[in-house]
Amino acid sequence: MQNFNYYNPTEIVFGKNRLNELDKLIPENAKVLVLFGGGSVKRFGTLDKVKSSLGEREVIEFGGIEPNPQFDTLMKAVEIVRSEKIDFLLAVGGGSVMDGTKFISLAAYVESDPQQLLMAGFDAAPAIKAIPLGCVVTLPATGSEMNTFGVITYQHQKYPFNSPLVFPKFSFLDPELTLTLPPEQVANGIADAFIHVIEQYLTKPENAKIQDRFSEGILKTLIEDGPVTYHDKTNIEARKNFMWSATSALNGLIGVGVTQDWSTHMIGHEMTAMFDIAHGRTLAIILPSLLRKRQTHKQAKLLQFAERVWDINQGSDEEKIVAAIDKTETFFNALGIVTKLSHYGIDESGIDSLISNMEKMGLTHISETGDLTLDIVRKILVSAI
Ligand code: NZQ
Ligand code: ZN
């Protein structure tokens, strides 16, 4: 295991009917901007519940943050934050609203070129101050509610950013607020959380037993309770486990002291930017093909994944690995996620455009070993047609 620091100050408020506790978590005299997406929180009553919990505080609303949040939309919120002298941001929504709110929180203090916040990749964004923020999660998927990351669309490209200043002060995880999700969004969330674990777990053995076993526990929980949540709205216990799995998959804990490989996400973000396919779905298309092409690189961990996550104990090592990758793909398919590019109308010419876009974005040597070059990415994508 490698050296590491671990710090995560986000307070999690988990369980049903707890929104009235917002009142004690937000400073009494704060002027609050409540941010949300295209209207689901209005339609289903979550926004009203949030507002009634904020008591006498002055509250302004900003709606219309789109999936894959757009820089220009977020800059409109930044203007409001400045002109209204907002001192607390409350995100009510899924990953897009939470990420957008994190960006607004940083951009409010950046005088010129706020797009520079997006140019540091996984390094800390050049920011010195942020407006404090909290989250009410309506879609379990990204883990944004307990991490320092965000992904913003700027000039038709998706840019990840990262800053310790945007750790949410708190996040409310109430599974009942997710009951209005259409099944395909539940499926996207399961795939996203599953692949967050994979990107931190499936690299090489480093004798990081806690991280490995936490990862395997999250994957097994998603395999067990993901499909139940997808099919059965009445099973709140399964939904609770799914929700906490999604947060635990990307709150930093399983990624400490181990090598990580975010290749599937790097390729997936390009696919969303170019073809507007939902984030979780892009990952489910790429991962099975990527694992098949990178079997030798990842052999030891793939075998551990086969034996400990999928309980495959028969056959040669090679057979176990092949079976584990097949089972992973079938798991996504059973959630109604098709995993071939042709299902989304993408052929070789689409792959050409995607590869040249990755080149433009400097994504020419990705993976844990930096040797996943664009010709290999092309082979991965061609085998996913
Ligand atoms: O906009 P509204 O009307 O609210 O509808 C949303 C949206 O259309 C709807 N929705 C959310 N909660 C609902 C609901 N509909 C009914 N009932 C509810 N309770 O769901 C749709 C999708 O929402 P979105 O927030 O876009 O989905 P998700 O949570 O999957 O977030 C995706 C974004 O997160 C980024 C992705 O790149 C993408 O931009 N990611 C952020 C990460 C992070 N911060 O750590 C990591 C991830 O890997 C990911 O890249
Ligand atoms: Zn993701």
Side-chain angles (χ1 to χ4, degrees), residues 85-312:
K85 302 202 174 2
I86 296 291
D87 37 38
F88 200 92
L89 303 176
L90 184 60
V92 187
S96 295
V97 174
M98 294 188 276
D99 287 5
T101 301
K102 289 175 176 176
F103 179 78
I104 295 161
S105 142
L106 295 174
Y109 287 113
V110 175
E111 289 304 327
S112 62
D113 299 335
Q115 63 272 27
Q116 286 308 321
L117 292 169
L118 305 175
M119 302 302 157
F122 289 117
D123 294 336
I128 40 157
K129 214 172 159 189
I131 312 248
L133 66 103
C135 304
V136 175
V137 183
T138 65
L139 199 177
T142 61
S144 185
E145 63 274 12
M146 202 177 172
N147 71 35
T148 56
F149 298 107
V151 185
I152 303 303
T153 304
Y154 173 64
Q155 296 183 344
H156 310 292
Q157 305 279 4
K158 275 178 83 93
Y159 290 90
F161 70 96
N162 171 35
S163 167
L165 299 171
V166 296
F167 263 122
K169 299 285 172 216
F170 58 77
S171 285
F172 281 72
L173 302 181
D174 178 349
E176 308 244 341
L177 297 179
T178 74
L179 284 170
T180 53
L181 282 168
E184 65 269 19
Q185 292 294 355
V186 174
N188 294 351
I190 297 166
D192 193 19
F194 192 95
I195 295 167
H196 290 158
V197 179
I198 293 285
E199 305 260 48
Q200 297 164 89
Y201 164 78
L202 250 181
T203 55
K204 58 176 185 176
E206 284 174 291
N207 199 30
K209 295 186 181 181
I210 301 297
Q211 295 87 321
D212 277 5
R213 289 184 168 122
F214 276 165
S215 297
E216 289 152 2
I218 298 169
L219 293 172
K220 274 183 157 299
T221 305
L222 289 167
I223 291 167
E224 234 167 75
D225 282 348
V228 178
T229 309
Y230 175 73
H231 289 291
D232 180 5
K233 268 201 176 154
T234 64
N235 195 326
I236 286 289
E237 288 306 311
R239 192 169 285 260
K240 285 180 191 169
N241 282 304
F242 161 47
M243 196 165 201
W244 187 229
S245 296
T247 305
S248 305
L250 202 51
N251 66 3
L253 194 58
I254 62 169
V256 294
V258 296
T259 301
Q260 305 185 14
D261 170 15
W262 288 92
S263 302
T264 300
H265 270 73
M266 295 294 96
I267 306 169
H269 285 161
E270 296 304 308
M271 212 177 261
T272 298
M274 294 202 65
F275 306 115
D276 200 25
I277 304 173
H279 174 65
R281 277 169 202 257
T282 64
L283 308 176
I285 299 167
I286 298 157
L287 184 76
S289 299
L290 182 138
L291 293 179
R292 290 184 184 110
K293 279 276 171 301
R294 302 288 279 178
Q295 257 180 63
T296 330
H297 274 73
K298 295 177 181 287
Q299 194 179 17
K301 277 316 246 323
L302 271 169
L303 187 59
Q304 185 176 325
F305 173 63
E307 291 173 345
R308 294 208 208 163
V309 176
W310 288 111
D311 300 315
I312 301 168

Side-chain angles (χ1 to χ4, degrees), residues 15-51:
K16 79 177 197 184
N17 292 336
R18 302 202 51 190
L19 282 180
N20 57 342
E21 293 172 46
L22 271 172
D23 189 36
K24 47 176 208 260
L25 289 169
I26 298 179
E28 215 175 320
N29 51 0
K31 187 167 181 184
V32 183
L33 184 63
V34 178
L35 300 111
F36 54 95
S40 71
V41 299
K42 266 195 168 161
R43 269 197 317 282
F44 301 121
T46 307
L47 189 63
D48 284 342
K49 286 185 204 155
V50 164
K51 284 198 298 191

